[in-house]
Amino acid sequence: MILNLVLIAMILAMLIPMYEAWQDDDIWQKMLAFASFATKSSIMILVVSVFRDDWMIGVVGVIILSVGNAGLMLLAHVIKRMNQV
């Protein structure tokens, strides 16, 4: 129950910069909003991994936090390769 409320609050916090960037046509503000979104999503992944006591999810969160969106592409490639096996 508490984890659900924490996740809902974090999702709402993620949507604030996206809404602000959607209203403005400045490309730098949009890039900043996407960077903020990536950082907040990786923090959410780390919170979920701590509450679920799952270190594999935590590793993915750390990879995303350290290398940014390249971690998401790496994860997508790993999942694609695992589906082929």
Side-chain angles (χ1 to χ4, degrees), residues 29-76:
Q29 184 157 349
K30 289 184 182 189
M31 289 175 62
L32 182 63
F34 285 126
S36 174
F37 187 82
T39 303
K40 288 176 185 171
S41 64
S42 64
I43 296 297
M44 275 181 49
I45 290 171
L46 288 174
V47 166
V48 168
S49 72
V50 167
F51 280 125
R52 291 186 59 179
D53 196 28
D54 190 359
W55 66 273
M56 292 289 286
I57 297 173
V59 168
V60 172
V62 168
I63 290 172
I64 294 170
L65 190 59
S66 61
V67 295
N69 293 333
L72 289 174
M73 290 188 285
L74 176 65
L75 177 64

